Amino acid sequence: ECMEGTRKNVLVQIYDWMENADAPNILWLKGYPGVGKSAIASSFVEHLQSLTRLGSSFFFRREKSNDMTINALWRVVAYDLARHYPPIKDKIVASLKADETIPTTLNVDKLFRRLIHDPLVASESLPIGSLPVIVIDALDECGGLDGQHSEQRRHLLRTLKNWSRLPHKFKLFVTSRNESDINQLFSTTNHRLVEVFAGQSVEEQSSNDIAAFLKDQFQKIAMKYPRSLSPDWPGHEVIMKLTGMAQGLFIWVKVITNFANRGDPEEQLSMILAGDGASDMTVLYSLILNTSFPKPSETFIKCFRCILGAIILAKVPLSTSYLPYLLSLRSTTAEYIYNGLQAVMDSQNILRIHHQSFV
């Protein structure tokens, strides 16, 4: 989620939409990859929980596309609504009693109508101050590697169109990149748009948020070197230079702070400052690979490609212990690679790349 005190301008727009009974019932948070859409969605979920207004949340992940289907999405939403809202629960239970095949049906439109649309429309007694809000993150990751060409994605967008026809009081918050099929849907669907900009269009508030995040992360690194780094390392001027280099991309900031924390911070930072910033993530990722794996042998490169290829292409996320066994590799080789990729990959137990840009 967002660091406390950041993203205020975006969150205020979202909160205002949520409280406005006359606003469209869908808000689309749109942004370039890496600008922090999922972090904003997580912060909004936490806010809704504090108000007891979270109807349900669902975060699509490309690597879990086999499990995160559109049918699974609306079943989860129906289950969560039934748990938190007794009037809706009564209507959902009535639908299931009338037709026990609904949860397993392949007909997405039928499932959405019977478990979501009809129960919501029939639930007139819901208190105005505690109406449910649904959060769906990363529409663009629905359908896995097939993306907008997948049947799952087409079904998803069709049900979002159906949601827009519900009364305005039933709010749905979604995030995604600006991909053509999603843009086409919203070009003909009533909605509220909030956009997070990057590059030359980055807003001042986003830059301020990035500067605050950098200052916080570098202070934590400096605390590990009390005899050689000052508490305000690397200083305001460097923080502002890095902020400009980030061009609004939080993923770049996260990667460079992870990278700085993985070695001699002064040396790591000098290499970051010598780069081209977020305008070329490839250069940053190359720097990380070359620093973590200097002068790799042909044998090592082959092992590296096997491991990274398996992580990227696996239909189900793989565990750190199972992958070497699956590929018939030494566990020490695998662990060496995991350690070297910690700036861009989670390797505590399940192996997950932090951001699609690295892939």
Side-chain angles (χ1 to χ4, degrees):
E1 65 188 53
C2 304
M3 190 180 81
E4 187 175 355
T6 62
R7 295 304 201 188
K8 287 182 178 179
N9 61 328
V10 175
L11 291 169
V12 164
Q13 293 180 69
I14 296 169
Y15 299 161
D16 288 346
W17 160 81
M18 175 187 72
E19 299 294 351
N20 186 348
D22 297 322
N25 64 5
I26 298 179
L27 185 145
W28 177 26
L29 181 70
K30 178 175 72 170
Y32 188 80
V35 295
K37 300 183 296 296
S38 294
I40 294 169
S42 295
S43 291
F44 186 41
V45 165
E46 184 175 299
H47 179 69
L48 290 170
Q49 287 172 329
S50 71
L51 300 175
T52 11
R53 288 196 59 183
L54 179 64
S56 184
S57 62
F58 196 93
F59 287 66
F60 278 107
R61 292 294 176 263
R62 187 171 281 104
E63 70 272 13
K64 293 185 177 180
S65 60
N66 277 8
D67 299 319
M68 291 185 153
T69 63
I70 182 63
N71 296 62
L73 161 66
W74 295 121
R75 284 197 298 265
V76 167
V77 172
Y79 175 74
D80 287 342
L81 287 171
R83 283 195 307 133
H84 301 306
Y85 295 88
I88 299 177
K89 175 184 177 181
D90 294 341
K91 305 300 185 296
I92 292 175
V93 170
S95 290
L96 293 173
K97 285 182 177 178
D99 185 354
E100 295 180 354
T101 68
I102 293 174
T104 57
T105 182
L106 297 178
N107 186 330
V108 178
D109 297 308
K110 175 183 176 182
L111 186 148
F112 178 82
R113 185 179 67 255
R114 299 295 297 277
L115 292 186
I116 306 295
H117 182 277
D118 293 352
L120 287 177
V121 170
S123 301
E124 296 294 338
S125 60
L126 292 172
I128 296 297
S130 60
L131 288 167
V133 180
I134 310 300
V135 175
I136 305 176
D137 180 58
L139 303 181
D140 50 281
E141 298 201 21
C142 174
L145 296 175
D146 292 333
Q148 60 185 288
H149 304 293
S150 74
E151 187 177 7
Q152 287 292 315
R153 181 92 146 249
R154 288 193 292 272
H155 288 325
L156 171 63
L157 299 186
R158 193 167 65 247
T159 53
L160 295 184
K161 185 75 172 181
N162 291 336
W163 184 286
S164 72
R165 300 185 180 109
L166 283 165
H168 284 189
K169 63 182 179 180
F170 297 118
K171 303 293 189 183
L172 173 65
F173 171 88
V174 300
T175 78
S176 82
R177 305 175 185 179
N178 186 25
E179 297 197 352
S180 58
D181 59 331
I182 299 172
N183 191 58
Q184 184 176 6
L185 164 75
F186 286 117
S187 69
T188 59
T189 302
N190 189 25
H191 70 287
R192 173 71 56 82
L193 174 65
V194 174
E195 189 163 3
V196 184
F197 295 97
Q200 298 301 315
S201 303
V202 65
E203 296 177 335
E204 182 180 358
Q205 184 61 55
S206 292
S207 293
N208 292 340
D209 291 343
I210 284 175
F213 181 82
L214 283 166
K215 183 178 179 181
D216 176 75
Q217 294 300 302
F218 282 125
Q219 282 180 347
K220 290 176 181 176
I221 294 173
M223 289 174 64
K224 296 164 65 175
Y225 298 86
R227 291 190 295 272
S228 52
L229 296 179
S230 64
D232 64 344
W233 178 83
H236 178 74
E237 186 176 339
V238 174
I239 292 290
M240 297 316 296
K241 181 175 182 179
L242 292 170
T243 299
M245 293 172 70
Q247 298 183 40
L249 294 184
F250 265 85
I251 185 60
W252 185 83
V253 176
K254 182 177 180 180
V255 170
I256 66 159
T257 51
N258 284 345
F259 179 65
N261 197 33
R262 292 291 302 160
D264 177 345
E266 291 275 23
E267 182 181 356
Q268 305 287 78
L269 180 59
S270 66
M271 288 189 282
I272 294 165
L273 290 168
D276 296 326
S279 60
D280 193 348
M281 291 292 288
T282 305
V283 173
L284 174 61
Y285 289 139
S286 296
L287 170 63
I288 291 169
L289 294 177
N290 290 331
T291 304
S292 298
F293 310 110
K295 298 180 180 179
S297 66
E298 288 297 323
T299 301
F300 174 79
I301 291 174
K302 183 178 179 181
C303 294
F304 178 87
R305 288 174 175 169
C306 284
I307 286 179
L308 200 57
I311 294 169
I312 292 168
L313 297 175
K315 291 288 186 180
V316 178
L318 300 166
S319 70
T320 53
S321 58
Y322 179 68
L323 186 55
Y325 171 78
L326 176 69
L327 300 176
S328 299
L329 297 175
R330 288 193 300 269
S331 58
T332 50
T333 301
E335 189 163 3
Y336 173 61
I337 292 172
Y338 301 159
N339 290 340
L341 291 175
Q342 283 187 13
V344 295
M345 185 178 76
D346 180 8
S347 58
Q348 292 297 312
N349 184 23
I350 300 298
L351 297 163
R352 290 191 181 92
I353 304 295
H354 287 319
H355 197 264
Q356 190 68 15
S357 58
F358 179 69
V359 175

